[in-house]
Amino acid sequence: MENAGKQIGKDVVGTALFGGILLLFLFGDRLIDPSFIPKEVLNVSTLFLSIILEAIPFILLGVFASALIQTFVSEDTLKRFIPKHPILALVPAAIVGAFLPICECAIVPVVRRLVLKGMPLHLGVVIMVTAPILNPVVFASTYYAFQTNMDVVYARMGLAFVASIVIGAIIYFFFRTSLPLKKQHHVHEHHHHAKNRWLETLLHASDEFFDVGRYLIVGALVASAFQAGFDRMTLLEIGGDQTVAPAVMMGLAYILSLCSEADAFVAASFGSTFTIGSLVAFLVYGPMIDLKNTFMLFAYFKPKFVAVFIFVVTVVIYGSIILLQSLNIL
């Protein structure tokens, strides 16, 4: 009962936030006199609403695709597409991840189920870091956000694919003989009749939309406040530094914990002040590991694995960005 009450509370808060934003968008000019609002607040609200409104269609598309996958596609079906050889299987695992429109909010429990059913840990990691980036929904949202700069789109997809294979190989080196999953108590497998699957899909999509929406709202607000309130010259100085800027954007991606179906719109809002390399770092690093993902990893995996995973992802992505910049590819 207590958990049910908390869930109802979360749903009410999420619905109220979404409804409030929609109300302000439709009737804000009638409810509030703009002349009494400071210019800085208006700038933040303009940036905030532009990010939200551009991102929502892709989030809706993503959560429904995720719900369909979770309801109708079994883990055993995915495992059939992956070879037995641990190294040769890295590329097919990345390709499987590319066809899973599941954001980083939902991929951790999916990968845990795959590993429990016999998938090697390092292949599960490859799927975990590719699915939130390489899937068609994220490609479409990134394309839409960066239509005038397709280098960012291709760099995001290409780097994510190659980096995932490197990350998977390193994880295999560290954990080939161990399974760092925590023991889960009171875990039950539920079997649903086909006639209930569409209802289950709608319920899952609804839950995920409001869960993801909370992070999008917070992320968009922080990003818009950061840009509107930060000194422009300092921002330009940081954003133009090819060594510091990627690290700053990776840190921002970790803290904001944006859904990968919407993060391209936040990144695009930094396009005039930050280097291409730092934007790509933001778009690749955030979906692979962020603050909310870290808590989910600690819930399912042992601390040693989580620490190694975060370290490996951070070093691989930052090192790749620095290398690509030194080669003038980014």
Side-chain angles (χ1 to χ4, degrees), residues 8-328:
I8 292 172
K10 290 180 180 179
D11 291 342
V12 170
V13 171
T15 304
L17 282 173
F18 182 76
I21 291 171
L22 188 62
L23 184 67
L24 287 174
F25 174 72
L26 295 175
F27 307 106
D29 56 338
R30 301 177 187 177
L31 297 174
I32 303 172
D33 186 355
S35 62
F36 290 101
I37 301 176
K39 181 180 178 181
E40 293 79 8
V41 176
L42 288 175
N43 290 339
V44 171
S45 63
T46 300
L47 288 168
F48 172 75
L49 286 174
S50 66
I51 293 171
I52 292 291
L53 293 175
E54 284 185 316
I56 281 178
F58 293 97
I59 287 184
L60 286 171
L61 182 61
V63 297
F64 274 107
S66 171
L68 288 170
I69 290 290
Q70 186 147 328
T71 304
F72 290 96
V73 179
S74 69
E75 290 89 345
D76 292 332
T77 301
L78 297 177
K79 286 168 62 178
R80 285 201 292 268
F81 291 95
I82 299 178
K84 300 293 184 182
H85 193 282
I87 301 302
L88 294 179
L90 288 169
V91 173
I95 294 173
V96 168
F99 286 95
L100 294 177
I102 303 176
C103 73
E104 66 277 13
C105 314
I107 194 62
V108 176
V110 171
V111 167
R112 173 185 164 272
R113 286 198 297 270
L114 288 170
V115 173
L116 283 173
K117 289 196 172 186
M119 175 176 284
L121 175 67
H122 69 292
L123 300 185
V125 167
V126 172
I127 292 175
M128 187 164 64
V129 297
T130 53
I133 305 176
L134 296 181
N135 70 71
V137 176
V138 174
F139 178 84
S141 66
T142 310
Y143 174 84
Y144 184 80
F146 287 95
Q147 294 179 69
T148 58
N149 193 348
M150 290 300 294
D151 289 344
V152 174
V153 182
Y154 298 133
R156 181 184 199 184
M157 300 300 158
L159 177 58
F161 186 83
V162 174
S164 70
I165 294 173
V166 175
I167 291 168
I170 296 173
I171 293 296
Y172 175 72
F173 175 78
F174 280 107
F175 296 98
R176 72 174 76 182
T177 59
S178 63
L179 187 62
L181 283 172
K182 287 184 176 179
K183 291 182 179 179
Q184 297 291 312
H185 302 287
H186 308 297
V187 176
H188 303 281
E189 293 292 334
H190 298 279
H191 302 280
H192 303 275
H193 296 291
K195 63 180 181 180
N196 295 327
R197 285 188 172 182
W198 287 108
L199 177 60
E200 182 185 348
T201 300
L202 289 174
L203 291 174
H204 176 77
S206 175
D207 289 342
E208 190 171 335
F209 174 76
F210 285 109
D211 186 49
V212 170
R214 288 178 298 165
Y215 292 107
L216 172 64
I217 290 171
V218 174
L221 183 60
V222 172
S224 55
F226 180 79
Q227 294 179 78
F230 209 85
D231 180 70
R232 179 61 65 178
M233 292 306 297
T234 304
L235 196 61
L236 286 170
E237 185 177 342
I238 295 174
D241 190 309
Q242 291 195 332
T243 303
V244 176
V248 169
M249 290 301 282
M250 287 169 65
L252 189 62
Y254 183 85
I255 294 170
L256 292 182
S257 298
L258 294 171
C259 178
S260 57
E261 290 140 7
D263 61 358
F265 300 100
V266 175
S269 68
F270 287 99
S272 61
T273 51
F274 278 80
T275 63
I276 291 179
S278 62
L279 297 179
V280 174
F282 178 92
L283 292 170
V284 175
Y285 186 74
M288 289 187 176
I289 184 67
D290 57 30
L291 188 58
K292 68 177 185 297
N293 232 13
T294 302
F295 286 108
M296 295 180 71
L297 286 169
F298 274 117
Y300 294 126
F301 295 92
K302 294 178 181 178
K304 179 182 177 182
F305 169 78
V306 178
V308 171
F309 175 72
I310 294 174
F311 177 77
V312 169
V313 171
T314 302
V315 171
V316 169
I317 299 305
Y318 183 75
S320 299
I321 293 296
I322 297 300
L323 176 62
L324 292 173
Q325 288 181 155
S326 67
L327 296 174
N328 293 322

